[in-house]
Amino acid sequence: MGTVLRFRAELALRSGNIMDAYESAKLSEKEFTWHGDKQGVSIAFCLLGDIEMIQGKVIQAIGYFHAALQIAADHNDISTECVIHERIGAAQKGNRESARNHFEKCVEIGGHLQMSTRAKALGGIGRVEKEAGNYITSQEYL
C-alpha cells in the first residue's frame, strides 16, 4: 500500500496537485514505517522534501532530505543516497560550499549508477562555480 500511495503522490505532484501529493506522501511514509520498509520511508521522505521545495519551504525540505539520507546511508542504498545528495545540493542555493559538497558526494558515491542524477550534480557544480565567478571552471561542468 505504501508504494501505491507513493506513486499516487508522485502523480499528484506532476499534475500540480500539491495538497494531494503531500497527503499521499505522508500516508506512504506512515505505511512504509508500519511495515518496517526503511527504503520506502527514505523515498517517501525524499518525496516530501521535493514537495516542500516546490512550496518554497527550503528548511523543511532539507530536513526531510537529511532524514532520507540518514536512512539510505544506514542501509547502504547508494542509488537513493546519490539522488538525495543531488537534491540537497540543489536546495543549498545560499550556501555554495555545502551545495558543491553534496553535488560532489553524489558524483563520488553513485554517479555511475544514476547517469541523469550525475548529470544534474555536475551541472550543479557548474552553477556553483559560475555563481562564485569561476567562469572557466564552471564551463568544465556545464
Side-chain angles (χ1 to χ4, degrees):
M1 187 66 171
T3 302
V4 171
L5 288 163
R6 186 188 108 218
F7 286 138
R8 179 179 173 184
E10 289 173 353
L11 287 171
L13 185 60
R14 289 176 192 217
S15 66
N17 188 341
I18 302 299
M19 291 308 297
D20 188 39
Y22 184 81
E23 290 171 11
S24 295
K26 284 299 273 187
L27 289 172
S28 76
E29 181 264 321
K30 288 179 183 178
E31 281 289 318
F32 287 132
T33 299
W34 190 78
H35 289 285
D37 182 346
K38 296 293 186 182
Q39 184 180 26
V41 173
S42 178
I43 293 169
F45 280 155
C46 190
L47 182 56
L48 286 162
D50 290 341
I51 293 166
E52 295 291 10
M53 281 297 296
I54 288 169
Q55 296 180 87
K57 299 176 181 177
V58 176
I59 293 170
Q60 293 90 329
I62 291 173
Y64 278 121
F65 292 145
H66 279 289
L69 183 60
Q70 186 64 53
I71 295 168
D74 288 348
H75 290 84
N76 201 30
D77 183 356
I78 294 171
S79 178
T80 301
E81 198 175 339
C82 178
V83 168
I84 297 166
H85 275 294
E86 187 277 325
R87 296 287 205 316
I88 294 171
Q92 297 284 330
K93 296 198 187 292
N95 187 339
R96 287 193 298 266
E97 184 176 337
S98 179
R100 184 180 176 104
N101 288 340
H102 282 285
F103 288 135
E104 287 175 345
K105 188 69 174 175
C106 171
V107 172
E108 173 191 328
I109 64 168
H112 61 286
L113 299 174
Q114 299 266 346
M115 293 308 289
S116 64
T117 303
R118 176 185 169 87
K120 288 178 187 178
L122 290 171
I125 294 170
R127 286 188 303 280
V128 166
E129 290 297 330
K130 183 179 176 185
E131 289 170 10
N134 302 324
Y135 300 109
I136 294 172
T137 304
S138 73
Q139 290 175 351
E140 296 173 19
Y141 295 96
L142 295 175

